[in-house]
Amino acid sequence: MNLPKTATFGALTLAVTLSLTACTGGDPDPVAQSKNISISVASGTSATELTLGTIYAEALRSAGYQVTESESSANPYQQVLDGHADLAISTADHTTVEGFKTADPAVRPLQQSDAQSTPVLVMSAAEATSHGVDSVPSLAANCQKLEIIGVAPQTESLSSALAAEGCTKPRYKTVPAAQLANQLRASLNRVVILDSADAIIGDEGFEIIAGSEKIFEAKTVVPLAEDQLDQEAHNLINSVTKKIDQTSLIGINRMVSGVDALDPQTAAGRFKILTQ
C-alpha cells in the first residue's frame, strides 16, 4: 500500500462508498475523489477466484482507492505474506485462517464469507441409484465397482473416511480440472470430487453424497489484508464479503463457467447489479 508522504490518514476524510448497487437512473455510480492510496489485489487462478478478486477491486476503486490487480497465483495469500500485495482474495479452511493470525502480525484475515467452497463427492443421480449409493458408507460398500476422480492426489482424510467404512483400497485417479465436468456427465461407475460451489451440481441434477462434506475441511472466502490497510478499507472489504453467501458464490461460478462464460470483469459487473 503506497501512501503519499504529504498525506495522513486523519486528513483522508472522504466518504467510502461501497459500489455494489446498480444505477437506477442513467447516471454513473458516484466515485469519491481519489484518496491517493494504492492497493494491490491478488486473486487465485480459477475463473471464480478471478471474478471474486475483481469484485473486491471494483468496490475499492468506486470508493476512491487506486487499485491494481496482481497477476493471478495458485497461492495469492503468499503474495500478501511476502509483501507483494496488500489484499488477497481466496478460500481457506479454519486451520489456515488460524495460521494467518499467528504467522505474521503485519497481515490480518478479515471477515469470512458464509458461503463454503469445500470439496464434496458427487455422482450422477442415475449412477447413485444404480449402485444404491446415498452416503459415504454405501459408497465404501461399492468401492471396488466405483472409481473416484479428482484433480489432486487422494487425501489422507478421504482414505481414512473410506477405510473406516471398510474400503481400504479405493480406485482413484486424477484428471485436469477442465475434464471433471465431462467425467461426471459421461459417468459410468464414477464418483467425482467437485467444489460444493460448482454450479454444475445443481444445474445438471447431480447428487452430493451425504456426509462427504465432512471428509474435507470446510473452506470459505477469506480476504487476507496487510494490517496497515486503513480501517475504512477493512470495513469496505468486510461489507463486500457479507454479500457472498452460498447462492451468490454458486451464481458467480455459473456466470464464468461453460461455453457462454462471462469474463471476470463482466461477471463482477453482473454481481454488482444482482446484489443491489
Side-chain angles (χ1 to χ4, degrees):
M1 175 176 64
N2 301 317
L3 299 178
K5 293 181 180 179
T6 57
T8 65
F9 282 118
L12 302 173
T13 58
L14 296 174
V16 175
T17 302
L18 174 59
S19 184
L20 281 176
T21 55
C23 304
T24 55
D27 297 329
D29 292 330
V31 176
Q33 182 181 346
S34 173
K35 288 181 169 58
N36 206 20
I37 300 173
S38 65
I39 299 175
S40 175
V41 179
S43 58
T45 56
S46 74
T48 298
E49 289 177 305
L50 287 168
T51 302
L52 285 169
T54 301
I55 287 169
Y56 283 88
E58 289 299 323
L60 288 163
R61 285 192 185 100
S62 293
Y65 292 93
Q66 305 298 303
V67 180
T68 59
E69 294 178 62
S70 302
E71 185 174 350
S72 60
S73 166
N75 186 359
Y77 291 135
Q78 195 62 47
Q79 294 189 50
V80 174
L81 293 171
D82 292 341
H84 298 150
D86 304 303
L87 174 67
I89 307 299
S90 191
T91 59
D93 56 35
H94 176 76
T95 301
T96 301
V97 173
E98 289 303 306
F100 289 150
K101 294 177 181 178
T102 58
D104 188 340
V107 302
R108 184 194 304 183
L110 301 184
Q111 179 172 321
Q112 302 175 46
S113 70
D114 290 333
Q116 291 194 355
S117 179
T118 303
V120 288
L121 299 173
V122 181
M123 293 182 74
S124 73
E127 283 285 286
T129 299
S130 174
H131 292 285
V133 174
D134 59 4
S135 64
V136 175
S138 56
L139 168 63
N142 286 274
C143 77
Q144 294 310 307
K145 301 176 185 177
L146 299 171
E147 185 173 45
I148 301 174
I149 300 170
V151 296
Q154 184 172 325
T155 63
E156 179 60 34
S157 60
L158 177 58
S159 299
S160 297
L162 293 175
E165 300 296 339
C167 177
T168 57
K169 294 182 178 180
R171 298 167 56 203
Y172 190 94
K173 78 171 184 180
T174 60
V175 300
Q179 295 183 14
L180 283 179
N182 283 336
Q183 290 284 336
L184 193 53
R185 292 186 183 107
S187 181
L188 181 62
N189 304 327
R190 294 172 185 169
V191 180
V192 177
I193 301 175
L194 291 178
D195 191 304
S196 59
D198 195 324
I200 189 178
I201 298 173
D203 291 353
E204 300 194 22
F206 298 121
E207 295 187 359
I208 296 175
I209 297 174
S212 65
E213 71 282 356
K214 298 177 182 178
I215 294 175
F216 308 94
E217 192 163 6
K219 292 184 177 182
T220 59
V221 177
V222 182
L224 181 67
E226 181 187 44
D227 194 54
Q228 291 184 14
L229 214 61
D230 67 302
Q231 188 60 49
E232 286 181 289
H234 282 182
N235 293 342
L236 175 59
I237 292 163
N238 287 337
S239 295
V240 176
T241 303
K242 288 179 182 178
K243 293 181 176 287
I244 302 174
D245 57 17
Q246 195 68 24
T247 299
S248 62
L249 185 58
I250 292 172
I252 290 169
N253 178 265
R254 180 181 294 112
M255 287 191 286
V256 297
S257 302
V259 294
D260 296 321
L262 302 178
D263 61 84
Q265 191 75 34
T266 303
R270 184 72 59 81
F271 176 85
K272 175 181 175 180
I273 293 171
L274 295 174
T275 55
Q276 61 179 330

